[in-house]
Amino acid sequence: MLCTPWQGTEDAVKACGDLSDKVLIDCTNPLTPDFTALEIGHTTSGAEQVAAWAPGARVCKAMNQIGAPMMGHPQLPSAPVMFVCGDDEAAKQVTAGLVSELGFETVDAGDLTLARLLEPYALIWIHLALRRGFGTNWAFGLIRGKD
């Protein structure tokens, strides 16, 4: 799992050495130092940049849509949703399994390019938590209607 401030992410990935065939779960968001915007996004994503820094790694984006205090077994009335994306189906299954074990409902959002949506989505959580007074004891949920 990659959980670094964006400005240190490239160095952290490169310090890991050869990550070929390893599942690399990218939990980062390419945030500006003041957490108000993304440094990159929409036409590419932080996750795609991580994949470029770790050639051959099986990169998945997950756990970037919530703050650190809620990452392990969140105590909420229902399981919060966590979107997962990646290009390798087996790596996404591993990632989804780990995320589920942490107490989240996992949703496969698609290939790694979907991180271009998940990273701005995370920015909403960050904005509400840090600037709108929500704090960090909450998560997004998924409500389904009857078929």
Side-chain angles (χ1 to χ4, degrees):
M1 292 191 97
L2 181 61
C3 304
T4 56
W6 182 248
Q7 291 71 27
T9 300
E10 180 178 10
D11 290 340
V13 169
K14 290 181 177 179
C16 290
D18 184 11
L19 294 170
S20 295
D21 295 320
K22 305 283 189 222
V23 175
L24 177 57
I25 302 171
D26 175 22
C27 305
T28 69
N29 285 302
L31 299 171
T32 57
D34 65 359
F35 301 144
T36 61
L38 298 174
E39 287 194 4
I40 60 174
H42 302 295
T43 59
T44 190
S45 66
E48 291 168 286
Q49 184 60 63
V50 166
W53 291 330
R58 298 159 56 204
V59 176
C60 292
K61 173 65 88 179
M63 300 303 291
N64 71 307
Q65 304 138 55
I66 197 162
M70 295 295 286
M71 284 187 176
H73 304 287
Q75 301 299 309
L76 296 169
S78 61
V81 68
M82 184 58 58
F83 296 102
V84 174
C85 67
D87 292 336
D88 183 295
E89 291 301 319
K92 280 197 290 188
Q93 288 178 2
V94 168
T95 301
L98 292 169
V99 171
S100 292
E101 285 182 34
L102 292 172
F104 293 86
E105 176 183 356
T106 60
V107 174
D108 182 344
D111 64 46
L112 197 61
T113 63
L114 271 291
R116 298 174 189 180
L117 301 178
L118 296 182
E119 292 166 357
Y121 176 68
L123 197 54
I124 295 169
W125 190 95
I126 293 163
H127 173 77
L128 293 173
L130 302 180
R131 290 186 172 70
R132 300 298 299 165
F134 277 52
T136 59
N137 193 28
W138 67 280
F140 293 113
L142 184 64
I143 301 171
R144 292 185 171 106
K146 294 180 182 179
D147 290 339

